[in-house]
């Protein structure tokens, strides 16, 4: 099986996340390109975590599931528990039922990790669910998993 790759037209692996995708900018979810999606895929889930949070390791910013299988996840996914245009559900995270991009304290550099999961089923969870609920429900159904890491610093000079 081909390895899944996640790319973003806004930044490369390990690079600075453009301000438009952050809480200091437009706070838009970035467009993600998925390369090598496994046959038999039925849905996609995505999480965004602050891997550098000093108090809450891997602090969850965004959780969305039941995205249709597609090679491009569009930029600027709408807010709300259910994203009707995509048939997806957004759970509770720092961004309650929406994408909330990086917004570390001034001068702190944090690393943010987008994790994409390719699943062999749709996930039956309500919108009040959190990342841990999703991870538990996905167990045994993950066909592929890949990450894209970017960094951000508020008011970087």
């Amino acid at each position: 099986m081909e390895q899944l790759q996640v790319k973003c037209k806004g930044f490369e692996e390990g690079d600075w996340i453009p301000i438009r995708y952050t809480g200091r900018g437009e706070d838009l979810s970035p467009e993600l390109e998925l390369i090598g999606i496994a046959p038999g895929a039925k849905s996609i889930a995505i999480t965004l975590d602050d891997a550098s949070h000093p108090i809450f390791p891997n602090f969850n910013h965004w959780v969305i599931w039941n995205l249709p299988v597609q090679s491009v996840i569009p930029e600027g996914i709408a807010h709300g528990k259910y994203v009707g245009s995509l048939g997806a559900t957004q759970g509770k995270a720092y961004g309650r039922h929406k994408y909330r991009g990086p917004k570390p304290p001034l001068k702190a550099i944090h690393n943010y990790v987008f994790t994409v999961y390719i699943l062999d089923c749709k996930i039956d969870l309500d919108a009040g669910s959190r990342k841990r609920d999703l991870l538990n429900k996905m167990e045994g159904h993950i066909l592929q998993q890949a990450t894209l890491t970017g960094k951000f610093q508020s008011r970087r000079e």
Side-chain angles (χ1 to χ4, degrees):
M1 180 180 311
E2 188 175 349
Q3 183 174 347
L4 179 68
Q5 296 176 49
V6 180
K7 295 188 177 206
C8 179
K9 70 178 182 179
F11 65 98
E12 299 282 326
E13 173 68 28
D15 282 350
W16 295 101
I17 297 172
I19 196 163
R20 72 182 278 123
Y21 303 129
T22 75
R24 304 276 183 213
E26 296 172 58
D27 219 6
L28 295 173
S29 60
E31 178 181 293
L32 300 175
E33 180 184 3
L34 310 180
I35 301 161
I37 297 173
K42 302 288 188 230
S43 71
I44 297 171
I46 303 171
T47 61
L48 171 61
D49 298 308
D50 179 347
S52 303
H53 197 288
I55 299 169
F56 304 106
N58 294 313
F59 184 72
N60 185 234
H61 275 244
W62 185 41
V63 58
I64 186 168
W65 61 91
N66 288 342
L67 287 157
V69 176
Q70 55 194 331
S71 60
V72 176
I73 306 298
E75 178 184 82
I77 291 176
H79 297 177
K81 294 178 182 179
Y82 303 102
V83 184
S85 62
L86 295 172
T89 303
Q90 294 182 103
K92 290 183 179 179
Y94 175 58
R96 187 175 292 258
H97 310 300
K98 63 182 179 179
Y99 172 87
R100 282 297 302 227
K103 192 178 176 183
L106 300 179
K107 295 294 184 183
I109 298 173
H110 284 211
N111 292 300
Y112 293 86
V113 181
F114 291 87
T115 305
V116 176
Y117 303 90
I118 305 298
L119 307 171
D120 67 0
C121 66
K122 286 197 164 198
I123 300 296
D124 185 21
L125 281 175
D126 66 52
S129 301
R130 298 183 182 277
K131 179 185 170 186
R132 70 178 169 268
D133 302 317
L134 177 63
L135 292 176
N136 287 336
K137 201 72 157 175
M138 290 190 309
E139 196 170 311
H141 296 286
I142 300 171
L143 296 174
Q144 294 170 296
Q145 178 177 332
T147 61
L148 175 65
T149 302
K151 58 188 174 186
F152 186 72
Q153 178 183 31
S154 297
R155 299 196 180 142
R156 182 167 60 108
E157 297 177 349

